[in-house]
Amino acid sequence: FVNEEGNLVAEKAVDVAVNYIKKNNKLGVNVDPVKVVVCSSYNEMLSNSLFPHLVLDTTMTGLASETVKSFTAALGLPTISASFGQEGDLRQWRNIDENEKEYLVQIMPPADIIPEIVRTIVLNQNITNAAILFDDYFVMDHKYKSLLQNVATRHVIAPIKEPEKIGDQLRQLRKLDIVNFFILGSFESIKRVLDSADTVGYFNRKFAWHAITQDKGDLKCNCRNATIMLAKPVIDAQYQDRLGLIKTSYQLNAEPEIAAAFYFDLALYSFLAVKEMIADGAWKRNNATSYITCDEYDGNNTPRRIGLNLKKYFNKETSETPTYGPISIVSNGNSFMEFNMQLSAVGVRESSSDKSVPLGTWKAGYDSNLTLVDPQTMKNYTADVVYRVVTVEQKPFIIKDESAPKGYKGYCIDLIQRISEILNFDYEITPVSDQKFGNMDENGKWNGVVRELMEKRADIGLGSMSVMAERENVIDFTVPYYDLVGITILMKLPKTPTSLFKFLTVLENEVWLCILAAYFFTSFLMWVFDRWSPYSYQNNREKYKDDEEKREFNLKECLWFCMTSLTPQGGGEAPKNLSGRLVAATWWLFGFIIIASYTANLAAFLTVSRLDTPIESLDDLSKQYKIQYAPLNGSSAMTYFERMANIEAKFYEIWKDMSLNDSLSEVERAKLAVWDYPVSDKYTKMWQAMKEAELPNTLEEAVERVRASRSSSEGFAYLGDATDIRYLEITSCDLQMVGEEFSRKPYAIAVQQGSPLKDQFNTAILQLLNRRELERLKEKWWSRNPEKKQCEKQDDQSDGISIQNIGGVFIVIFVGIGLACITLAFEYWWYKYRKGSKVVDVQGAPNVKHPDITTKVISDGFNAKINKLYPRSRF
């Protein structure tokens, strides 16, 4: 009996088997097991004429197992081995002939066939990645290549680390994009791994956990909310009594139970097989007593055991019922105990088992299929394909919205949703902490989305992310989903000040007062001249009695004449006297000059007020100093200006070195001599101005600084991606986009370098492009955006005078009409309702002898007097 140090289960089981034979005399077997140290113990046995009938080998793997195989094959010793290994794995027995295969027999223990369930589950669930962790109960050295051979599943097989290192082990596996975990081990080992998985937060729908064990009992772990697919051996009902008898009567209490039962049956059936061979005389017929010592072996003198068919006798029917399941010997690497594994989904809530859902069974063997209760239910316990998407919030591409299914909405969210529908995957969105897409510092370190992809913490980088050469060195980009986008300028929209009485602001208040004073003074002067001039109408009525126009220039008429003289209608009949006409002519000349000056200045004033657009391009911005300007700190626009400034500096240094190079000839140096620098310093000055203006850290900060500008010719201008600025322009009525786009680059989705998602996303994006889905998305988020504002049209230089500037004229009309109405009412009152007034009919008045004088009699109740309408001349 050769056992491996530490395999206490086998040692205990063999002892129970020997004890069982001793107590059951009816079996007719006398067993004298000798635990040997290879060669030394064996040579001692031969010297004492104790020739072994059988070598019972329970070594598992490694050097001990290889030594035993070499020893038995070389000395021709009939052997039953329970070593781990599939066909071809036992290197020392790999080249044995057909005759040797009859007595050099290997039977795989349960722990060697149980891992095959991993292959079955992987194929059934169509799993594309897997981490297989195992403890000391399982030997996986020979499984690294064979377990998932010819299966398109990226996998890692590794032993379970120490308890304090399991968390780090799981994190490292997660960085490899592994979401399916298989744990092969005892319930104690499984519990340690599951507890660590709960600590690092790996229990959600993105992960699938499978626990595979030889133990019986229930799964336990300190998990808050977990669902684990558990596979454990289950004994057939027909063998339960036999197992109970051996356990109670012969104290077969070693764990795992299935392993102890296997080693017990292995030893028992091996002893019975040798007994049958002796009884049949197979030993004598085949010269079975010929043995050589280790020292006698020279490499070519292995004893021949012709016809010693140990396999046949082992497979013979016996009265001994299997303890756990029948053992069938086919060939080395294909012989094992037959048993079933029960598959169930165990839910753990708050560290206690919540429920267990039976899923099916698996019969131990190669390429065995699962017998499922409900295939559809089985699919519910797979890891969903959930990609980790990192992004930067930026309207309208990525907009935070708690009511949205993923917590975000926008152009890119609609895009990734349509891609996910084509490729059939799910995703979760997480914003990067620094809100940057990614830039490289002086040490070659990256930040933002690029860093998350490089360090495998994300699968997809989503947003208005520009394709840049240095980014493509560390990550991959899909085909562009958005046209070339350049950098442009955002400025405050200039507003032309309006006033209903703007036509009054053309002249200063003092000028208006002087005009008003001149108006009253001229009117008064004309009245005085007309009253005192002997040639006026009122003083010379006889002379002008035949004229059609009989106008007396009293004070009211003078005021009216001067007012109407300023209008195209004219003042009407001029005074008859020369002095009055000179006053009128002077007033006309004055009025003409004032009206002409006012008209010319009004047109110029309204035109100049609409010409306040000082910045129209990047060159205009670089040549002025009143407007500060800068891009976002850490943005691609900042990188552009910084690099352009550095390139200018480098080119200048190159030219300077060339022009001062003493190794050049005089002619060559003369060709480099110029009065002006041949290298522009435009971007150098702009970059310096940007640093002095202090780069804003967020788009909100930049927009706030733009809005805080005093005017469009003094304040702050923001330089950024045209898509962002165009969106700000359509959602705000106080901002405008200025200038043409420059440094244009496409937008694309970023993935990890070498990720298979690149080709898959390329196909999906091209499909969307062909279906014109991308155009519809642009229409939705720009032209039909719900936040788009309908702004008032700004005055254009080609437009006429707006109502806001000339509306005061209409107010003047309404004020004049109102005053006229008030005057009419006053006149009516004065004429009819004056206190004590009475109008007497002219027929009742005394006859007046003067026929050319019209009289009017007014009686106030006390006296009556006759007022002459035309007083006599004073001269």
Side-chain angles (χ1 to χ4, degrees):
F1 173 49
V2 185
N3 191 26
E4 186 170 348
E5 185 178 354
N7 192 359
L8 301 179
V9 178
E11 187 168 346
K12 175 66 175 176
V14 172
D15 289 341
V16 173
V18 172
N19 187 35
Y20 178 83
I21 288 176
K22 289 180 179 179
K23 290 184 178 183
N24 289 272
N25 295 328
K26 62 178 181 177
L27 296 176
V29 181
N30 181 22
V31 179
D32 185 15
V34 177
K35 299 178 182 179
V36 301
V37 176
V38 178
C39 277
S40 60
S41 299
Y42 171 72
N43 290 340
E44 185 179 348
M45 290 175 64
L46 294 186
S47 63
N48 295 326
S49 298
L50 296 175
F51 304 107
H53 295 92
L54 175 72
V55 175
L56 183 60
D57 172 26
T58 57
T59 58
M60 294 187 293
T61 187
L63 182 61
S65 178
E66 293 174 359
T67 302
V68 174
K69 304 300 181 295
S70 300
F71 168 71
T72 56
L75 303 181
L77 301 177
T79 304
I80 296 290
S81 174
S83 298
F84 286 69
Q86 294 175 218
E87 185 176 4
D89 289 333
L90 304 180
R91 293 182 299 170
Q92 291 71 26
W93 287 3
R94 189 177 296 169
N95 297 318
I96 60 177
D97 57 31
E98 294 298 322
N99 179 62
E100 290 175 319
K101 288 179 181 179
E102 293 179 353
Y103 62 84
L104 298 178
V105 179
Q106 178 230 3
I107 303 174
M108 299 163 59
D112 198 17
I113 195 65
I114 284 177
E116 294 299 318
I117 194 175
V118 174
R119 181 186 181 90
T120 304
I121 294 175
V122 165
L123 293 173
N124 182 270
Q125 302 293 85
N126 194 24
I127 293 174
T128 58
N129 61 81
I132 303 169
L133 306 178
F134 61 92
D135 66 3
D136 295 338
Y137 283 95
F138 292 86
V139 176
M140 303 293 289
D141 294 347
H142 59 289
K143 298 283 187 180
Y144 282 101
K145 292 183 179 180
S146 63
L147 184 60
L148 293 177
Q149 189 177 16
N150 299 324
V151 177
T153 300
R154 181 170 47 85
H155 63 282
V156 175
I157 302 177
I160 300 172
K161 292 188 176 182
E162 295 80 3
E164 63 275 6
K165 296 181 179 180
I166 295 177
D168 292 335
Q169 184 181 23
L170 296 178
R171 291 189 188 93
Q172 292 298 324
L173 292 171
R174 183 67 186 92
K175 289 182 179 179
L176 299 176
D177 295 330
I178 291 177
V179 294
N180 298 281
F181 292 87
F182 293 84
I183 313 170
L184 285 77
S186 64
F187 276 131
E188 183 180 354
S189 298
I190 293 172
K191 180 180 182 301
R192 288 199 300 267
V193 176
L194 295 180
D195 290 347
S196 298
D198 185 72
T199 302
V200 297
Y202 284 179
F203 284 122
N204 53 56
R205 64 192 184 93
K206 295 189 301 180
F207 298 91
W209 290 89
H210 308 79
I212 301 168
T213 184
Q214 300 180 85
D215 292 351
K216 64 177 183 177
D218 298 325
L219 176 66
K220 297 179 181 179
C221 71
N222 296 324
C223 307
R224 289 163 293 181
N225 188 0
T227 300
I228 301 100
M229 188 182 296
L230 174 64
K232 64 179 181 179
V234 56
I235 188 171
D236 196 303
Q238 61 180 320
Y239 305 127
Q240 286 182 346
D241 293 341
R242 168 74 174 182
L243 178 62
L245 174 66
I246 300 301
K247 289 179 65 176
T248 55
S249 301
Y250 298 94
Q251 288 75 48
L252 183 63
N253 299 320
E255 295 292 342
E257 181 182 83
I258 187 174
F262 166 76
Y263 285 119
F264 174 82
D265 283 349
L266 180 74
L268 178 60
Y269 291 150
S270 297
F271 300 153
L272 293 177
V274 173
K275 175 226 173 183
E276 290 295 326
M277 293 175 67
I278 295 174
D280 289 349
W283 235 267
K284 291 182 179 179
R285 288 197 304 268
N286 294 285
N287 195 22
T289 57
S290 59
Y291 294 93
I292 62 173
T293 64
C294 295
D295 297 335
E296 294 171 346
Y297 177 68
D298 61 6
N300 296 311
N301 58 342
T302 300
R304 303 291 294 170
R305 312 287 181 188
I306 305 299
L308 195 63
N309 197 335
L310 188 58
K311 289 195 300 182
K312 181 181 73 173
Y313 285 95
F314 193 97
N315 285 330
K316 272 190 175 183
E317 291 187 5
T318 177
S319 60
E320 295 297 317
T321 304
T323 306
Y324 205 96
I327 298 176
S328 175
I329 299 179
V330 178
S331 61
N332 292 344
N334 289 299
S335 305
F336 47 84
M337 184 176 72
E338 297 177 1
F339 61 94
N340 292 323
M341 297 281 287
Q342 184 182 40
L343 204 62
S344 59
V346 180
V348 181
R349 306 293 181 269
E350 302 300 333
S351 303
S352 61
S353 296
D354 183 18
K355 61 180 179 178
S356 179
V357 178
L359 299 177
T361 57
W362 175 75
K363 185 176 181 181
Y366 295 110
D367 300 324
S368 295
N369 295 323
L370 294 172
T371 303
L372 299 175
V373 176
D374 182 8
Q376 189 61 38
T377 303
M378 185 72 173
K379 294 180 180 179
N380 296 333
Y381 299 99
T382 59
D384 293 342
V385 182
V386 181
Y387 293 127
R388 295 162 294 174
V389 179
V390 290
T391 186
V392 174
E393 295 179 35
Q394 203 161 1
K395 297 180 179 180
F397 294 96
I398 306 290
I399 305 171
K400 183 72 174 178
D401 184 6
E402 297 295 341
S403 62
K406 301 294 183 181
Y408 293 88
K409 65 179 182 180
Y411 178 95
C412 286
I413 302 301
D414 289 348
L415 174 64
I416 195 69
Q417 180 61 32
R418 282 164 172 76
I419 293 175
S420 69
E421 293 170 358
I422 295 174
L423 300 180
N424 192 24
F425 67 86
D426 198 0
Y427 58 93
E428 58 181 14
I429 301 174
T430 305
V432 289
S433 56
D434 57 7
Q435 287 295 298
K436 298 184 185 303
F437 285 112
N439 289 296
M440 184 173 58
D441 61 17
E442 296 296 333
N443 299 320
K445 303 295 183 181
W446 286 88
N447 61 2
V449 173
V450 176
R451 181 177 180 181
E452 296 295 312
L453 293 172
M454 289 177 61
E455 297 183 357
K456 309 295 184 182
R457 290 196 294 267
D459 302 301
I460 301 168
L462 187 65
S464 54
M465 191 170 181
S466 301
V467 179
M468 300 169 64
E470 61 271 25
R471 288 175 179 172
E472 286 191 297
N473 291 331
V474 292
I475 60 174
D476 286 341
F477 284 99
T478 64
V479 294
Y481 68 83
Y482 202 90
D483 301 333
L484 293 174
V485 178
I487 302 170
T488 188
I489 307 168
L490 177 70
M491 296 185 67
K492 187 174 183 178
L493 186 67
K495 288 188 176 181
T496 304
T498 60
S499 173
L500 290 175
F501 296 95
K502 195 167 187 177
F503 61 92
L504 295 178
T505 61
V506 177
L507 303 177
E508 295 183 354
N509 294 334
E510 292 81 358
V511 177
W512 285 114
L513 291 175
C514 290
I515 293 173
L516 189 62
Y519 165 71
F520 284 111
F521 177 73
T522 304
S523 299
F524 175 77
L525 193 63
M526 185 174 291
W527 171 68
V528 171
F529 282 17
D530 192 80
R531 186 173 182 82
W532 296 102
S533 174
Y535 298 102
S536 64
Y537 173 77
Q538 61 177 315
N539 294 326
N540 211 350
R541 297 180 187 277
E542 289 293 333
K543 182 179 179 179
Y544 300 112
K545 65 180 181 179
D546 295 330
D547 288 355
E548 294 182 1
E549 294 289 341
K550 298 179 178 61
R551 188 174 188 181
E552 181 181 345
F553 279 87
N554 53 27
L555 187 58
K556 181 182 69 173
E557 286 294 323
C558 290
L559 291 171
W560 178 253
F561 178 83
C562 289
M563 181 181 292
T564 56
S565 294
L566 297 176
T567 66
Q569 185 65 29
E573 178 67 20
K576 301 295 185 180
N577 55 318
L578 182 60
S579 59
R581 291 192 174 190
L582 286 174
V583 173
T586 303
W587 174 251
W588 288 342
L589 180 61
F590 170 80
F592 173 77
I593 295 173
I594 290 298
I595 294 299
S597 300
Y598 174 81
T599 304
N601 280 278
L602 177 62
F605 186 81
L606 294 176
T607 302
V608 170
S609 64
R610 291 181 288 173
L611 293 177
D612 188 18
T613 53
I615 303 300
E616 294 183 352
S617 66
L618 184 67
D619 289 334
D620 293 341
L621 199 64
S622 65
K623 293 174 183 176
Q624 55 79 47
Y625 60 90
K626 289 185 178 181
I627 300 176
Q628 293 183 325
Y629 50 89
L632 282 184
N633 187 19
S635 65
S636 58
M638 183 205 77
T639 304
Y640 169 77
F641 285 105
E642 183 180 19
R643 290 182 179 175
M644 290 296 287
N646 291 336
I647 290 171
E648 286 182 347
K650 289 182 183 294
F651 280 0
Y652 173 74
E653 291 296 328
I654 292 172
W655 170 78
K656 186 174 67 174
D657 292 341
M658 290 172 61
S659 61
L660 299 177
N661 189 354
D662 293 335
S663 63
L664 297 177
S665 65
E666 292 295 331
V667 175
E668 291 175 330
R669 290 186 63 185
K671 292 179 180 180
L672 296 172
V674 291
W675 289 104
D676 296 324
Y677 291 139
V679 180
S680 171
D681 61 348
K682 169 185 171 181
Y683 288 98
T684 302
K685 292 179 179 179
M686 291 187 70
W687 178 240
Q688 184 62 34
M690 290 174 184
K691 291 190 290 186
E692 292 175 358
E694 297 182 358
L695 278 68
N697 293 314
T698 63
L699 184 60
E700 290 75 15
E701 179 185 346
V703 173
E704 187 62 30
R705 290 178 65 178
V706 171
R707 286 199 169 108
S709 302
R710 297 181 59 184
S711 67
S712 61
S713 59
E714 185 176 359
F716 181 79
Y718 165 65
L719 295 135
D721 287 352
T723 50
D724 300 331
I725 292 177
R726 190 175 298 113
Y727 181 78
L728 290 169
E729 184 182 37
I730 66 174
T731 56
S732 304
C733 292
D734 58 344
L735 302 173
Q736 67 170 340
M737 184 170 68
V738 177
E740 297 292 332
E741 297 180 29
F742 55 93
S743 182
R744 304 180 72 188
K745 296 178 288 293
Y747 288 162
I749 298 175
V751 295
Q752 296 175 8
Q753 195 167 47
S755 172
L757 290 178
K758 177 182 177 181
D759 294 335
Q760 298 174 20
F761 274 42
N762 287 345
T763 303
I765 291 173
L766 291 176
Q767 288 184 22
L768 294 174
L769 187 63
N770 291 334
R771 299 203 303 251
R772 304 182 70 86
E773 287 286 339
L774 298 183
E775 292 184 17
R776 281 190 280 271
L777 289 181
K778 289 181 185 179
E779 181 75 14
K780 173 184 177 181
W781 288 104
W782 269 268
S783 301
R784 294 186 287 106
N785 194 297
E787 296 186 7
K788 184 178 180 180
K789 293 184 178 180
Q790 298 295 329
C791 303
E792 295 181 5
K793 182 181 178 183
Q794 294 294 318
D795 291 341
D796 188 63
Q797 293 185 19
S798 60
D799 295 339
I801 301 174
S802 64
I803 190 65
Q804 289 86 355
N805 292 324
I806 203 67
V809 175
F810 300 96
I811 295 177
V812 170
I813 293 176
F814 292 124
V815 170
I817 293 173
L819 290 176
C821 293
I822 294 172
T823 304
L824 177 62
F826 177 76
E827 287 177 344
Y828 184 79
W829 173 82
W830 181 267
Y831 178 76
K832 190 171 183 180
Y833 296 101
R834 190 171 49 143
K835 183 179 179 181
S837 65
K838 186 176 181 181
V839 179
V840 181
D841 192 358
V842 75
Q843 280 80 4
N847 293 330
V848 181
K849 295 182 180 181
H850 302 283
D852 59 339
I853 300 177
T854 303
T855 60
K856 189 174 184 182
V857 180
I858 302 175
S859 175
D860 58 0
F862 298 96
N863 57 12
K865 64 180 180 179
I866 300 175
N867 291 331
K868 296 182 179 179
L869 296 177
Y870 302 102
R872 65 181 180 84
S873 175
R874 292 175 176 78
F875 299 98

